[in-house]
């Protein structure tokens, strides 16, 4: 008997459940913001520039420059460029909540400006291939199935020309010059950027969920084998996504009334922003909420006081 827990049917069931929950969940915006960071971190590992979600949070909240940028590493591309490609892969989809959360993210850290600043050469090198992959992966599918997506990924990987850097010229101690063979970049991470949109284009999902990008590092040549790996990834990520959504909804439900129901105070919005981007600076809070730095300081203190009082009351029960 086939193990249903590892089958494509089970993966799509979990995906449909998460997709449906996000339609009316009070934590959808927070979940999407966190899923973008999780997806970008997964893509970075796939591309050979491993980082943690915490590294992205530090960058977004203004505590550090782009991850790995100042570490002297010979990376195939900059995190600034990869983050821009990851966020841009789903920006064209007509989901007002997703659009709003992307606007908030770009108010904190504009990925377009950061990529222009830190990695303009990567935008030139990978941009055309990224756009071609997007066009091909979001084209109509012959069937609403994971094998159809898997075969499309394999076909595109074979047809896209990977960008290469110019071979490095070295001069030896005796004056001879040698040119090292140019580096070729694996294109798997670039295709993975567009997998969430491909699931929507194939009719398997309603929303482009940015955490569904965890493809195998080396794509197999067999479509059925790749489809099975994509199904396992979807089941894993959708299961984790449902658990994360449950956790966020419980956190929102436990907030004191002053942080959940109010007409004037910006405190509820600050709580949601903190859940999405832990460790926001007061400068970032002031910019996001359109208030003075002094007002942001008072608001942060108010939220901290109310939250601590709530935790103290729950501890006495």
């Amino acid at each position: 008997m086939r193990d249903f827990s590892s089958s494509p049917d089970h993966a799509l069931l979990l995906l449909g459940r998460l997709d449906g929950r996000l339609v009316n969940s009070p934590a959808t915006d927070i979940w999407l913001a966190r899923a973008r960071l999780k997806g970008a971190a997964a893509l970075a590992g796939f591309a050979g520039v491993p980082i943690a979600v915490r590294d992205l949070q530090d960058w977004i909240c203004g505590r550090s420059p782009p991850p790995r940028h100042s570490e002297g590493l010979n990376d195939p591309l900059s995190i600034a460029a990869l983050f821009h490609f990851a966020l841009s892969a789903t920006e064209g989809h007509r989901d007002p909540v997703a659009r709003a959360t992307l606007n908030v993210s770009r108010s904190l850290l504009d990925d377009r400006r950061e990529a222009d600043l830190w990695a303009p050469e990567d935008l030139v090198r990978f941009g055309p291939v990224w756009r071609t992959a997007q066009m091909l992966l979001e084209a109509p599918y012959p069937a609403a199935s994971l094998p159809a997506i898997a075969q499309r990924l394999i076909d595109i990987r074979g047809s896209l020309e990977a960008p290469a850097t110019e071979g490095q010229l070295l001069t030896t101690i005796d004056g001879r010059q040698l040119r090292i063979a140019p580096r070729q970049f694996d294109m798997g991470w670039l295709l993975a950027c567009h997998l969430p949109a491909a699931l929507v284009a194939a009719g398997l999902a309603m929303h482009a969920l940015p955490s569904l990008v965890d493809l195998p590092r080396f794509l197999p040549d067999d479509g059925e084998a790749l489809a099975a790996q994509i199904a396992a990834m979807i089941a894993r990520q959708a299961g984790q996504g449902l658990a994360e959504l449950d956790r966020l909804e419980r956190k929102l439900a436990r907030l004191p009334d002053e942080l959940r129901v109010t007409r004037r105070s910006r405190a509820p919005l600050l709580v949601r922003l903190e859940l999405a981007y832990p460790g926001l600076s007061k400068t970032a809070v002031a910019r996001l909420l359109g208030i003075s730095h002094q007002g942001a300081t008072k608001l942060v203190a108010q939220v901290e006081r109310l939250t601590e009082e709530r935790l103290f009351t729950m501890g006495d029960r």
Side-chain angles (χ1 to χ4, degrees):
M1 179 181 296
R2 186 179 63 170
D3 181 9
F4 179 70
S5 65
S6 61
S7 71
D9 292 338
H10 177 66
L12 294 178
L13 177 65
L14 289 176
L15 175 59
R17 187 176 300 166
L18 176 59
D19 218 357
R21 284 275 304 278
L22 290 171
V23 172
N24 295 310
S25 172
T28 297
D29 55 337
I30 304 171
W31 188 93
L32 281 171
R34 297 173 69 94
R36 282 197 183 95
L37 302 189
K38 181 180 179 181
L43 287 170
F46 195 174
V49 283
I51 57 170
V53 171
R54 178 68 180 181
D55 298 324
L56 288 174
Q57 290 174 338
D58 287 342
W59 179 32
I60 288 172
C61 294
R63 293 188 290 268
S64 70
R68 301 176 68 93
H69 182 79
S70 58
E71 298 176 29
L73 300 171
N74 188 23
D75 289 338
L77 80 163
S78 168
I79 294 297
L82 185 143
F83 189 55
H84 168 64
F85 286 131
L87 264 60
S88 299
T90 57
E91 70 176 336
H93 291 265
R94 298 176 182 176
D95 181 345
V97 176
R99 167 61 64 182
T101 59
L102 181 58
N103 290 340
V104 169
S105 173
R106 284 177 166 167
S107 295
L108 280 170
L109 181 86
D110 192 329
D111 56 284
R112 299 157 297 191
R113 185 175 58 192
E114 293 288 299
D116 284 335
L117 174 64
W118 298 100
E121 67 284 354
D122 287 334
L123 298 183
V124 174
R125 184 182 308 135
F126 292 102
V129 190
W130 182 91
R131 288 187 289 272
T132 300
Q134 181 180 46
M135 177 186 68
L136 294 175
L137 274 174
E138 295 188 27
Y141 284 82
S145 68
L146 293 179
I149 293 177
Q151 191 57 54
R152 180 76 60 85
L153 285 167
I154 292 172
D155 293 343
I156 293 174
R157 182 193 60 181
S159 65
L160 292 181
E161 182 179 352
T165 59
E166 183 180 351
Q168 185 177 4
L169 186 64
L170 297 179
T171 302
T172 64
I173 194 170
D174 59 359
R176 291 178 300 164
Q177 289 190 325
L178 303 174
R179 187 172 294 277
I180 299 176
R183 297 176 62 189
Q184 294 288 335
F185 295 98
D186 180 74
M187 303 304 293
W189 69 269
L190 193 147
L191 296 176
C193 277
H194 301 294
L195 182 56
L199 291 167
V200 176
L204 298 177
M206 293 185 294
H207 307 94
L209 306 181
S211 53
L212 301 182
V213 295
D214 195 11
L215 284 175
R217 182 71 182 272
F218 301 101
L219 301 184
D221 293 325
D222 179 73
E224 291 295 333
L226 180 55
Q229 291 177 313
I230 293 175
M233 180 274 292
I234 290 175
R236 181 175 65 255
Q237 295 296 340
Q240 293 174 2
L242 285 165
E244 172 78 352
L245 190 60
D246 287 339
R247 186 182 68 83
L248 291 171
E249 288 178 351
R250 287 195 299 269
K251 278 196 170 186
L252 291 176
R254 289 199 299 264
L255 292 174
D257 290 340
E258 295 92 331
L259 295 180
R260 283 191 288 147
V261 182
T262 181
R263 290 185 178 180
R264 294 184 178 180
S265 175
R266 292 182 172 89
L269 180 54
L270 175 57
V271 170
R272 303 182 75 85
L273 289 171
E274 272 287 351
L275 286 173
Y277 305 104
L280 284 174
S281 67
K282 295 180 178 64
T283 300
V285 171
R287 183 170 66 252
L288 284 171
L289 300 183
I291 57 180
S292 66
H293 190 275
Q294 183 180 12
T297 301
K298 291 182 179 179
L299 186 61
V300 170
Q302 176 193 2
V303 169
E304 289 176 349
R305 176 179 57 80
L306 290 171
T307 304
E308 288 173 0
E309 288 177 357
R310 174 65 172 174
L311 292 175
F312 180 77
T313 303
M314 291 178 65
D316 286 343
R317 291 177 181 175

